[in-house]
Amino acid sequence: MLDQHLAENIRPGVVIPDPHLRLRRRGQGAAIAVVFVWINLAIANWFATGATLTLSFGDTPAQRLTVSIAWGIYALALLGIGVARDSVGLRWISLAFLLITIGKVFLYDLGALTDLYRVASLVGLAVSLILVSLLYQRFVFRASRGEGS
């Protein structure tokens, strides 16, 4: 009955919004958050000592580094999926995760290092930021300009 009503009253060129779009987007956002939490719990479990899991992030430099690398890989994976699916939302979420990761590395992880380790880490961070900026320029921002013209 609803389909018949819509078929009779639809004018050409009118776009009907998807009623399940908001629910689908919330589900996708929840899935992204669940995977992020799972990654962090897996890393905490890997570095846990004893039979119980304790949530003490950043006890060792190796754990801090592992968390940062995992966050960066997750952000780049979201970027790849966003580019492949042509999803602007996923590309922005990946950028947010990447900025959070960069902030964590710069403000938290580098504070625990000394001397040459800090210098080497800053050089590595600078090189990775240049590579990520080239990636975003090539795949994200160029695609956005192409959609607007």
Side-chain angles (χ1 to χ4, degrees):
M1 180 153 164
L2 179 62
D3 291 335
Q4 181 183 5
H5 174 71
L6 287 175
E8 293 170 354
N9 295 316
I10 295 264
R11 289 170 284 175
V14 175
V15 177
I16 301 173
D18 183 8
H20 302 292
L21 183 64
R22 186 176 283 171
L23 182 63
R24 196 172 332 141
R25 285 190 180 158
R26 286 182 184 163
Q28 290 168 349
I32 290 169
V34 165
V35 170
F36 183 71
V37 168
W38 175 77
I39 289 169
N40 287 303
L41 287 176
I43 293 170
N45 188 31
W46 179 262
F47 284 97
T49 56
T52 60
L53 174 65
T54 56
L55 296 178
S56 56
F57 293 103
D59 282 348
T60 63
Q63 185 175 1
R64 285 192 296 268
L65 178 66
T66 305
V67 168
S68 298
I69 290 172
W71 287 9
I73 290 171
Y74 185 58
L76 292 177
L78 288 175
L79 174 63
I81 295 169
V83 168
R85 291 188 177 180
D86 198 28
S87 172
V88 177
L90 265 179
R91 289 182 276 180
W92 280 105
I93 290 172
S94 75
L95 181 61
F97 272 112
L98 200 58
L99 290 175
I100 290 169
T101 303
I102 291 166
K104 177 189 175 297
V105 167
F106 191 71
L107 297 173
Y108 181 68
D109 294 345
L110 290 178
L113 299 177
T114 58
D115 300 334
L116 289 178
Y117 293 113
R118 184 175 292 171
V119 172
S121 295
L122 283 172
V123 169
L125 180 63
V127 168
S128 64
L129 287 176
I130 290 170
L131 291 175
V132 166
S133 70
L134 291 174
L135 241 159
Y136 268 87
Q137 282 181 349
R138 178 159 184 174
F139 293 111
V140 177
F141 297 128
R142 184 175 294 163
S144 301
R145 280 183 274 162
E147 293 169 0
S149 355

